[in-house]
Amino acid sequence: DAKTTQPNSMESNEEEPVHLPCNHSTISGTDYIHWYRQLPSQGPEYVIHGLTSNVNNRMASLAIAEDRKSSTLILHRATLRDAAVYYCILIPSNFGNEKLTFGTGTRLTIIP
Amino acid sequence: GAVVSQHPSRVICKSGTSVKIECRSLDFQATTMFWYRQFPKKSLMLMATSNEGSKATYEQGVEKDKFLINHASLTLSTLTVTSAHPEDSSFYICSARGIAKSSYNEQFFGPGTRLTVL
């Protein structure tokens, strides 16, 4: 698996935007950038994914650098329920039976 | 998104007993299922990968005779922790991958099972 690098932890105030960075300098042309998050005592849940263009959905936005070597997950208005560990993962387009492995992720703390 | 369920959500057992955890994909057929374990404050560690009707493929360092995986159908996989010991206490998470409407396979995670061995 291509490696990703994320800060171990971040803090943000409630109702403010949060920008979670991810570096993936060895990304290949067919790797999709995926973000999952894990709330306390729950399994991971899908947040968003993208290939080259920026993406928006109801949960978040994903900004992808032009060279694709980094990306940023954007939570536009953080709530206490967004406190979780966020994982940035590269998944090839030909997913097949490839294993999805997790790095250490970023533990996001939301300050009321 | 698709739903993956696990049962039980938590279990407490005595040392030496065996515990079975079920993982079901509720609204799609899972071509591949994965089992992870997670210790407190740590990331998920992949234990094994299983395809329906085939033997599971275990990650290095995972004892296949201790963690028995059965993937009998496209919607059900089970993990049995045999002769459990306190060091097996952990959060076990299953994941299912299937063919979704989009052009690539999506992977969904269950809610996890917390195992405590006394």
Side-chain angles (χ1 to χ4, degrees):
Chain A
D1 292 338
K3 188 174 179 178
T4 63
T5 306
Q6 299 176 253
N8 287 333
S9 62
M10 290 183 65
E11 287 187 348
S12 178
N13 293 321
E14 192 178 9
E15 298 187 4
E16 290 187 357
V18 182
H19 290 232
L20 297 165
C22 181
N23 287 320
H24 28 79
S25 58
T26 59
I27 190 172
S28 76
T30 57
D31 285 337
Y32 281 80
I33 302 159
H34 278 68
W35 284 81
Y36 283 79
R37 74 177 185 181
Q38 186 178 21
L39 301 173
S41 298
Q42 295 187 29
E45 64 172 341
Y46 166 84
V47 177
I48 200 167
H49 78 278
L51 185 62
T52 56
S53 303
N54 294 343
V55 185
N56 300 299
N57 67 19
R58 62 176 180 83
M59 290 181 70
S61 295
L62 176 60
I64 301 173
E66 196 168 334
D67 64 4
R68 299 206 331 123
K69 293 185 177 181
S70 65
S71 60
T72 302
L73 178 71
I74 303 166
L75 307 179
H76 294 286
R77 193 165 169 269
T79 69
L80 295 177
R81 288 176 293 181
D82 292 320
V85 179
Y86 287 78
Y87 296 97
C88 169
I89 304 170
L90 301 183
I91 301 178
S93 58
N94 55 339
F95 210 174
N97 282 341
E98 288 210 29
K99 299 173 284 190
L100 199 164
T101 56
F102 290 78
T104 54
T106 297
R107 184 174 299 275
L108 177 64
T109 301
I110 304 298
I111 302 168
Chain B
V3 178
V4 175
S5 71
Q6 280 184 244
H7 178 79
S9 58
R10 58 178 64 233
V11 56
I12 301 172
C13 68
K14 293 182 179 179
S15 185
T17 60
S18 293
V19 176
K20 179 184 284 188
I21 303 170
E22 290 188 351
C23 175
R24 294 181 184 272
S25 58
L26 298 184
D27 52 1
F28 69 103
Q29 292 187 323
T31 52
T32 307
M33 284 187 169
F34 305 84
W35 286 95
Y36 295 81
R37 67 186 298 185
Q38 184 176 34
F39 292 107
K41 302 293 185 182
K42 299 294 184 182
S43 187
L44 286 78
M45 296 297 296
L46 180 65
M47 298 175 67
T49 303
S50 73
N51 293 297
E52 183 258 342
S54 304
K55 287 185 179 180
T57 302
Y58 291 81
E59 294 300 300
Q60 191 172 9
V62 178
E63 299 176 59
K64 62 180 181 180
D65 293 330
K66 181 166 187 63
F67 298 100
L68 301 179
I69 292 172
N70 185 284
H71 193 162
S73 76
L74 286 172
T75 59
L76 173 65
S77 176
T78 60
L79 168 68
T80 301
V81 183
T82 62
S83 186
H85 287 93
E87 57 265 30
D88 298 323
S89 298
S90 189
F91 193 49
Y92 292 87
I93 303 168
C94 77
S95 181
R97 188 182 297 172
I99 305 295
K101 293 180 182 178
S102 56
S103 61
Y104 66 96
N105 297 348
E106 296 188 50
Q107 184 161 339
F108 303 94
F109 291 83
T113 296
R114 186 163 302 283
L115 170 63
T116 302
V117 185
L118 302 176

